[in-house]
């Protein structure tokens, strides 16, 4: 039985699934708590054992081959089934697991820095994070709560507004070389711009939109660095490689820590925001409501900590 598996390690398949899902060895390493070179080596071992390439290494990224696409679909399904079985066992042992789905940026920059407070209040509850850039993947039947970015109209779930988003340029203080702040908006033309691309960027501000809102009539430079993952884009900004578009609730901790700063004072409001979404087929439970209430409390606390600055009324 299962002859094709041979002596394949589950760790190799987990590394492959994470890399394929994120289309990034670096993002997979962050999720798995390891390093990018370690993930790269695991993928090479898996390709050697299978005797076929699973990824095409392209300029500044990776893409699945035909064989990789076939394997990804089956491995993801298998890991989901394993995860569901393990969750069922945990429930039998009276230890509750809450499945929370969201995008990688929200998980990394907003949820994770605050999640310890939920665990302190609920030590018997484990939060299992499911990250994806595709909102339709986050409302499947095993998900308890999703936090999604959009206009609030999600066909498969009941939506509750969490917060709107303010948008402004951010960069490392090192990039500014001690120039006095704030700089004029036109100064953005002097710096390299970091761009977000791909399907997950369709709802997000791009530099053309930011330039329009802050009154810059010139077209933004295309830029030498483009990312399909917002988390990697922000890491590049922290590293001083250019100016990124900052979403207030995702970068507020980084601003407070001094890892990022705002080179100009101007900002804009997105017409979209983050919503807590409850899958329609999910039976409402006390634990789910408890987590939703905690999210709302954290949102209120975050709003109070944003220096009391009035949000601009610009909407796009």
């Amino acid at each position: 039985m299962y002859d094709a598996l041979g002596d394949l390690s589950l760790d190799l398949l987990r590394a492959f699934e994470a890399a394929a899902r994120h289309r990034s060895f670096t993002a997979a390493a962050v999720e798995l708590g390891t390093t990018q070179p370690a993930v790269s080596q695991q993928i090479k071992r898996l390709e050697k054992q299978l005797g076929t390439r699973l990824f095409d290494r392209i300029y500044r990224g990776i893409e699945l081959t035909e064989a990789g696409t076939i394997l990804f679909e089956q491995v993801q399904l298998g890991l989901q089934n394993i995860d569901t079985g393990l969750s069922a066992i945990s429930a039998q042992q009276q230890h509750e697991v809450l499945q929370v789905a969201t995008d990688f940026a929200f998980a990394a920059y907003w949820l994770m820095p605050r999640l310890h407070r939920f665990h302190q209040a609920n030590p018997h509850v484990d939060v299992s994070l499911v990250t994806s850039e595709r909102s339709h993947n986050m409302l499947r039947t095993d998900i308890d709560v999703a936090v999604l970015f959009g206009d609030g109209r999600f066909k498969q779930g009941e939506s509750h507004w969490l917060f709107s988003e303010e948008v402004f340029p951010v960069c490392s203080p090192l990039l500014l070389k001690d120039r006095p702040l704030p700089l004029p908006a036109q100064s953005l033309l002097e710096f390299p711009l970091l761009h977000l691309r791909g399907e997950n960027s369709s709802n997000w501000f791009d530099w053309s939109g930011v330039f329009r809102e802050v009154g810059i009539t010139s077209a933004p430079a295309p830029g030498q660095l483009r990312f399909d993952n917002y988390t990697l884009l922000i890491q590049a900004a922290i590293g001083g490689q250019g100016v990124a578009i900052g979403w207030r609730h995702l970068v507020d901790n980084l601003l407070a820590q001094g890892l990022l700063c705002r080179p100009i004072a101007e900002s804009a409001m997105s017409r979209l925001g983050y919503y807590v979404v409850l899958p329609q087929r999910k039976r409402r439970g006390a634990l789910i409501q408890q987590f939703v209430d905690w999210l709302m409390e954290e949102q209120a606390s975050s709003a109070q900590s944003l220096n009391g600055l009035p949000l601009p009324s610009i909407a796009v």
Side-chain angles (χ1 to χ4, degrees):
M1 186 177 288
Y2 310 123
D3 292 339
L5 281 175
D7 60 351
L8 280 179
S9 165
L10 181 60
D11 287 341
L12 298 186
L13 296 177
R14 288 185 64 203
F16 165 74
E17 189 275 341
R21 175 161 35 87
H22 291 298
R23 299 297 196 271
S24 164
F25 291 168
T26 302
V30 172
E31 179 178 314
L32 297 173
T34 184
T35 64
Q36 187 272 344
V39 171
S40 180
Q41 286 300 315
Q42 286 178 302
I43 299 303
K44 288 180 180 178
R45 285 171 53 196
L46 182 59
E47 289 178 328
K48 184 176 180 180
Q49 286 186 253
L50 296 177
T52 187
R53 283 186 304 103
L54 301 174
F55 293 97
D56 285 323
R57 278 70 168 177
I58 61 176
Y59 183 67
R60 298 191 186 283
I62 55 173
E63 291 290 344
L64 284 166
T65 62
E66 183 177 356
T69 299
I70 294 172
L71 183 62
F72 174 56
E73 292 175 355
Q74 298 305 317
V75 168
Q76 187 173 56
L77 179 61
L79 291 177
Q80 288 172 356
N81 288 336
I82 291 172
D83 189 71
T84 299
L86 295 175
S87 296
I89 293 173
S90 296
Q92 288 178 347
Q93 296 174 341
Q94 303 302 312
H95 196 83
E96 298 181 276
V97 177
L98 191 67
Q99 296 270 37
V100 179
T102 189
D103 62 69
F104 194 74
F106 183 88
Y109 291 131
W110 194 91
L111 187 57
M112 289 302 297
R114 296 168 169 83
L115 200 53
H116 67 281
R117 291 194 281 270
F118 180 80
H119 285 142
Q120 287 173 353
N122 303 276
H124 64 290
V125 179
D126 288 343
V127 175
S128 176
L129 290 180
V130 179
T131 59
S132 175
E133 301 302 332
R134 300 174 176 86
S135 60
H136 63 274
N137 282 353
M138 300 189 199
L139 296 174
R140 60 183 193 245
T141 55
D142 63 315
I143 297 300
D144 297 309
V145 181
V147 182
L148 307 180
F149 185 74
D151 60 6
R153 292 177 291 192
F154 301 101
K155 296 179 180 179
Q156 296 175 299
E158 172 189 322
S159 302
H160 302 270
W161 175 83
L162 186 61
F163 49 69
S164 301
E165 270 294 10
E166 183 185 4
V167 183
F168 42 74
V170 295
C171 67
S172 167
L174 299 175
L175 191 67
L176 302 176
K177 299 179 180 178
D178 297 323
R179 294 172 65 175
L181 299 180
L183 300 175
Q186 290 289 132
S187 66
L188 290 177
L189 297 172
E190 305 171 19
F191 297 101
L193 304 178
L194 305 176
H195 293 261
L196 186 68
R197 61 174 175 80
E199 63 182 57
N200 63 319
S201 65
S202 59
N203 288 332
W204 293 56
F205 258 94
D206 60 16
W207 277 111
S208 295
V210 171
F211 274 28
R212 181 173 62 253
E213 295 304 320
V214 303
I216 301 176
T217 57
S218 302
Q224 295 180 320
L225 282 176
R226 294 179 172 270
F227 303 85
D228 60 3
N229 182 296
Y230 186 72
T231 309
L232 297 179
L233 181 145
I234 289 298
Q235 289 302 311
I238 292 173
Q241 297 185 53
V243 181
I245 298 173
W247 294 76
R248 175 178 281 280
H249 289 87
L250 300 185
V251 301
D252 59 351
N253 282 335
L254 301 174
L255 291 169
Q257 295 170 36
L259 296 173
L260 292 175
C261 66
R262 295 179 59 173
I264 68 172
E266 291 82 355
S267 63
M269 284 296 291
S270 172
R271 62 180 175 83
L272 308 176
Y274 275 96
Y275 290 81
V276 179
V277 185
L278 303 177
Q280 291 176 346
R281 296 180 299 276
K282 196 71 179 182
R283 181 172 58 86
R284 303 294 181 262
L287 178 59
I288 292 176
Q289 188 58 52
Q290 193 173 346
F291 186 77
V292 172
D293 291 342
W294 174 79
L295 285 173
M296 297 302 180
E297 291 169 3
E298 286 293 324
Q299 182 276 333
S301 176
S302 296
Q304 292 176 359
S305 68
L306 292 178
N307 302 322
L309 295 176
L311 296 179
S313 59
I314 301 171
V316 296

